[in-house]
Structures are given as structure tokens and as C-alpha cells.
Amino acid sequence: MSILKFMQQRLDLVWKGFFMGAADVVPGVSGGTMALVLGIYERWLAAIRSFDRVWLQHIMHFNMQGALFHPQWAFLLPLVLGIFAALMFFTRVIPLPEWLHTHPEAVYGLFFGLIVGSIITLLRDLQVEKNSYWLFWPLGAVLGWFVVTSVPMSTPDTSWFIFISGFLAISAMLLPGISGSFILLILKKYDTILNGLGHFNLWIIVPFAFGAATGLVIFSRVLGWLLGHYHTQALLSIIGVLTASLWVIWPFQERTYALIHNKEKLISTTPYFPKTLDSTLVLSMDLMIVGLLVVVLLHHYSSKPSTTMASSH
């Protein structure tokens, strides 16, 4: 491989990471969603799984060369760079979180179009061998709807539940359509975790970190195994979860926020359809179309998901 081609591939990953980071800024949308849209979802999971037993053995035997070169850094580093650049850009340069409060219909309209477009393109590329497999789509949608419509519950602040919270939050982040921070809000642990980090409370940080690391190790492998052995059924279930996320991405919502650390966090939504045709509705619908077209262009530019997934088997 020539140096020029290598650099082009790394730059491509930076841009894909940028789109993943942009998605992470919007409540209800996850970076995993964009990874799926851009056709790098399975490569992303494989890169996470590269921090495996062999990598740990290199560390335990003080084999620094093996520890440094075993993980898939050539894939992960440009992707992380793109994610970080997007987080900085959409919080410091373009205040997307503020726009979510001042112009929610416009912002959510764009992302609604992105997700609808991604569902369409993913289904179009998917080769379903048996008609019975289509049942996994509504099953995934029911599971996703149950998660995104859950309300915050009363939970203990014990170490074992902090561990479980970290496990569930990181597992949700790996699934397209579900936000890890939203899971913490449902479990009423978002504030607890932020307080623990802010005050360097090891009784919270340690079990949460171990829970997150355990979830990352186990769930990334579970997803990889499912996609490897039950590819069509697993992908249809994931598309179902993505479909359910449209419930909270629909631009016109009665949204309920909670004030956490002087910042408003979305905790529940109730969709409605506007009764009058006004400029807000027109703008939102226009941006839905823009979002859908962006996905079509990205899909055309990127490797097709089916090709990317097939190459990883």
C-alpha cells in the first residue's frame, strides 16, 4: 500500500469519526448509529475487541512492543481524532447543545432524516435469506422502544449497582440508537457518576470503571459473535432498535429536562404532530430531506455496509 493511499484511508476515518462525534452531541443519537450508517460498525467492534487476552499478556510480560502494536491503532486513532474534533467543534465553534434548546425542531429534523435514510439504505443492502428473519426487525424495535420510553427509576447507590450502571451504559453505547448517558439518566446514576468524577470519589469511579470495562469486553464480543453467526437476524434486530429511536428523534416533542450540574438533561419525550403549517414545520421537513440525502451521499462515498461486513468475516 502506498503512503498516499494509507493517508487517504486515515483521513477518511477522521471524517467518519467526525460524524460519529457529531451524533454523540445530540441526545438520543449515538456514535454507534453513525458507525452503522457509514459501514464501519463491525470494524469498530473488531477494533475494540483487539484489546484482548493477547494484549493483556503482552502487558503482564512487559512486552511494550507487543502491547503497543497489537491493538488496531491505525483504525482507532484517526477515528478518535475525528470524534474529538467534532465534540470540540459542535460545543465550542457551533453551539449545537444550545441549538437543541433554541431550535430543536431544526436540529432533530436533520437527525431524523439521517436515521430514516440509514434505515432505508441498510435494509436495501441487506440480503434476507428467510422471510421468518424479518420478525427480528419488530422484535428489535419493541426492545428499543421499551428502553427509549423508560422513565427514571429509584436505584441504590451501592458499589455493585454502580458497577452494573457502568456495564449497561457502555453496552448501550455500542448499540446504534441508544445513548449511554440516557441509560444512566434512566438508572438515576448520571448525577452520581458526574459527582464521583468531579470529586474524585474512588468508591464510585472504580466500580463504574470496572463495570464499563467489563461491558466493553463482554458486549463487544457478544455483538461480534451474533453478527458473525447470526448476521442477518442480528442486523435486523439492530435496525429495529434504530427504528425505535425515531420515537425520541422526532422533531416535535414535549420534552422534559432535569437540571443536573447546572445543565439541562433530557429525561423524557412525548411526540406530537403540529396542527398548523408554519415556517418551523417547513424548515424541519426540509432538513429531514437534507439528512436523508446526506446519508445517501455518505453511503455512496463509503464502502457499502454489506461489503464491509462481509469482508470482516
Side-chain angles (χ1 to χ4, degrees), residues 4-306:
L4 180 60
K5 187 176 181 180
F6 179 83
M7 294 303 296
Q8 287 175 338
Q9 290 178 351
R10 301 291 80 75
L11 184 60
D12 179 62
L13 285 172
V14 171
W15 277 111
K16 288 177 178 178
F18 187 86
F19 281 106
M20 289 177 65
D24 280 324
V25 178
V26 179
V29 185
S30 69
T33 302
M34 291 309 299
L36 191 64
V37 172
L38 296 167
I40 59 170
Y41 186 67
E42 288 197 46
R43 284 186 65 197
W44 180 52
L45 290 178
I48 293 172
R49 294 198 304 271
S50 67
F51 294 91
D52 54 13
R53 185 185 302 173
V54 175
W55 179 68
L56 286 175
Q57 287 175 347
H58 285 315
I59 293 178
M60 292 176 67
H61 290 89
F62 300 100
N63 182 359
M64 291 301 103
Q65 184 176 357
L68 284 173
F69 289 101
H70 183 73
Q72 297 181 21
W73 295 116
F75 176 82
L76 285 171
L77 287 180
L79 202 69
V80 171
L81 178 62
I83 292 172
F84 180 76
L87 294 176
M88 292 296 100
F89 183 78
F90 287 111
T91 54
R92 301 297 178 89
V93 181
I94 296 179
L96 193 57
E98 292 181 17
W99 288 5
L100 285 168
H101 292 283
T102 58
H103 302 88
E105 296 85 3
V107 176
Y108 279 101
L110 176 64
F111 278 90
F112 190 90
L114 287 171
I115 293 177
V116 169
S118 66
I119 291 171
I120 293 171
T121 54
L122 287 167
L123 288 174
R124 187 184 65 186
D125 285 336
L126 191 62
Q127 295 180 353
V128 181
E129 298 85 2
K130 297 180 181 179
N131 288 331
S132 59
Y133 288 173
W134 286 106
L135 290 173
F136 286 90
W137 186 9
L139 286 174
V142 170
L143 173 64
W145 184 84
F146 175 78
V147 173
V148 299
T149 58
S150 297
V151 296
M153 60 186 77
S154 179
T155 55
D157 288 332
T158 53
S159 295
W160 68 267
F161 196 83
I162 297 295
F163 176 91
I164 291 176
S165 299
F167 183 95
L168 293 176
I170 201 70
S171 299
M173 287 181 68
L174 295 177
L175 270 179
I178 301 178
S179 165
S181 60
F182 186 71
I183 295 296
L184 290 178
L185 285 169
I186 292 173
L187 298 174
K188 282 193 173 180
K189 287 293 165 284
Y190 191 91
D191 192 30
T192 303
I193 301 306
L194 283 188
N195 271 327
L197 292 172
H199 294 89
F200 202 68
N201 187 340
L202 293 179
W203 292 104
I204 292 174
I205 294 174
V206 171
F208 182 80
F210 272 102
T214 304
L216 201 62
V217 169
I218 293 177
F219 200 62
S220 64
R221 281 160 176 76
V222 169
L223 282 174
W225 185 86
L226 288 173
L227 287 166
H229 292 80
Y230 303 97
H231 184 262
T232 303
Q233 302 96 309
L235 194 57
L236 280 169
S237 300
I238 290 172
I239 294 172
V241 174
L242 199 60
T243 304
S245 72
L246 293 173
W247 177 271
V248 293
I249 303 301
W250 175 249
F252 302 96
Q253 305 259 4
E254 294 291 342
R255 295 181 174 88
T256 303
Y257 293 88
L259 192 65
I260 301 175
H261 285 274
N262 297 319
K263 292 183 179 180
E264 288 186 328
K265 293 294 178 182
L266 182 67
I267 59 171
S268 66
T269 61
T270 305
Y272 70 90
F273 193 82
K275 297 179 180 179
T276 58
L277 181 65
D278 55 17
S279 58
T280 301
L281 176 59
V282 171
L283 176 62
S284 181
M285 294 299 179
D286 286 344
L287 286 171
M288 284 184 193
I289 296 172
V290 170
L292 196 150
L293 291 175
V294 166
V295 169
V296 172
L297 291 172
L298 286 173
H299 185 70
H300 177 74
Y301 171 70
S302 306
S303 300
K304 289 187 177 182
S306 57

